[in-house]
């Protein structure tokens, strides 16, 4: 299967690479099918690209590459919905909000994306941790 | 919207398995206890709204310049090595 991307041209993907957000993401409830496109061959960044809306893309990254102490504690309801039995089955990514100046770039630590890649299930979960905000500045860390 | 008047210590039932208890009323603040099955998500509405808002501003549409600067900026901060 193929999807066109202005940044990468035509991107090939397999049906099993499709990640389903059954409820969409808050603010984007209609977009349910996404794929992850690595920004570089090796590295912590991925584009999360909608297959339902060609205009919709997020820039995401592996939070543990930036915040070694970051903790994702899944509520049991999230664990169930994602069919995660062991922590290793889950991939966590955080969404960056880009800005013209690097110092204005923020990252949403409050609501990471948790993905069960094996089963193709994903959800933007909300962590019950008051230390994490939706607009965490990178420089303050 | 259903509107009910309750006193401190009084309880509401929603369906068969959700219980809402008014624990304390002090001025403008109400302390509420909720007993619900584990598969019921309980959320402060403003948190969800903040996430919607953050997602909307994070959605990128061909903003490649900002992206290059982002990755550059992260690399400069020395945290983009991603071990």
């Amino acid at each position: 299967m193929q999807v066109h991307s202005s940044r990468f041209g035509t991107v090939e993907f397999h049906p099993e690479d499709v990640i389903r957000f059954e409820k969409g993401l808050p603010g984007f409830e209609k977009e349910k099918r996404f794929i992850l496109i690595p920004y570089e061959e090796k590295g912590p960044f991925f584009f999360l690209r909608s297959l339902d809306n060609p205009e919709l893309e997020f820039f995401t990254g592996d939070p543990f590459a930036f915040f070694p102490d970051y903790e994702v504690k899944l509520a049991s309801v999230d664990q169930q919905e994602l069919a995660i039995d062991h922590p290793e089955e889950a991939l966590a990514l955080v969404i960056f909000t880009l800005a013209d100046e690097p110092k204005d770039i923020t990252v949403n630590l409050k609501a990471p994306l948790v993905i069960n890649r094996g089963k193709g299930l994903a959800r933007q979960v909300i962590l019950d941790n008051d230390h994490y905000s939706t607009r965490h500045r990178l420089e303050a860390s | 919207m259903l509107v009910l008047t309750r006193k401190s210590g009084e309880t509401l039932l929603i369906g068969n398995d959700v219980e809402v208890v008014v624990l304390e009323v002090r001025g403008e603040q109400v302390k509420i206890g909720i007993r619900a099955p584990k598969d019921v998500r309980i959320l402060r509405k403003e948190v969800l709204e903040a996430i919607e808002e953050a997602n909307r501003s994070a959605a990128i549409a061909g903003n490649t310049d900002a992206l290059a600067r982002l990755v550059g900026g992260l690399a400069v901060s020395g945290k983009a090595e991603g071990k």
Side-chain angles (χ1 to χ4, degrees):
Chain A
M1 293 168 93
Q2 291 183 338
V3 64
H4 182 75
S5 161
S6 55
R7 209 166 278 112
F8 299 99
T10 304
V11 177
E12 289 275 346
F13 65 96
H14 297 287
E16 61 265 29
D17 294 333
V18 176
I19 296 166
R20 283 195 67 86
F21 286 76
E22 292 297 347
K23 294 183 177 140
L25 277 75
F28 297 93
E29 283 78 9
K30 288 190 187 134
E31 287 87 354
K32 299 187 192 301
R33 300 177 313 135
F34 288 82
I35 52 167
L36 282 176
I37 306 173
Y39 178 72
E40 295 160 318
E41 212 171 295
K42 259 190 157 189
F45 300 116
F46 299 86
F47 289 100
L48 179 71
R49 192 181 198 294
S50 167
L51 295 176
D52 299 320
N53 173 358
E55 300 293 312
L56 183 62
E57 200 164 44
F58 295 98
F59 190 69
T60 72
D62 171 2
F64 305 107
F66 306 95
F67 311 102
D69 301 332
Y70 188 59
E71 254 190 336
V72 178
K73 267 195 193 147
L74 277 190
S76 60
V77 49
D78 293 323
Q79 222 165 14
Q80 269 172 27
E81 276 184 25
L82 292 168
I84 290 170
D85 299 318
H86 304 284
E88 315 80 73
E89 295 169 337
L91 169 71
L93 293 173
V94 284
I95 299 178
F96 288 85
T97 297
L98 304 180
D100 285 337
E101 294 299 324
K103 69 174 173 54
D104 296 328
I105 293 162
T106 60
V107 58
N108 184 348
L109 296 183
K110 181 74 180 169
L113 308 168
V114 178
I115 302 164
N116 181 339
R117 288 200 92 167
K119 298 199 173 88
L121 296 172
R123 187 177 172 89
Q124 186 170 21
V125 305
I126 301 171
L127 298 183
D128 186 19
N129 184 332
D130 292 336
H131 298 296
Y132 295 153
S133 84
T134 55
R135 292 186 178 272
H136 187 90
R137 279 186 188 270
L138 293 167
E139 298 218 323
S141 62
Chain B
M1 189 191 292
L2 172 69
V3 180
L4 299 168
T5 306
R6 302 267 70 193
K7 286 182 186 144
S8 179
E10 290 183 334
T11 300
L12 285 174
L13 293 172
I14 301 174
N16 291 326
D17 40 21
V18 178
E19 239 180 272
V20 180
V21 191
V22 179
L23 296 173
E24 191 187 314
V25 183
R26 195 191 291 164
E28 291 232 306
Q29 282 208 330
V30 182
K31 201 181 265 183
I32 291 170
I34 301 166
R35 205 171 285 127
K38 281 199 155 184
D39 60 346
V40 174
R41 232 180 230 104
I42 299 165
L43 208 56
R44 290 180 177 87
K45 190 174 176 183
E46 69 269 19
V47 173
L48 184 62
E49 287 169 346
I51 291 164
E52 286 175 359
E53 204 265 319
N55 281 349
R56 281 195 205 101
S57 57
I60 46 175
N63 194 354
T64 317
D65 279 4
L67 190 64
R69 254 177 259 134
L70 165 70
V71 177
L74 293 176
V76 167
S77 78
K79 286 175 183 156
E81 260 106 76
K83 283 157 202 124

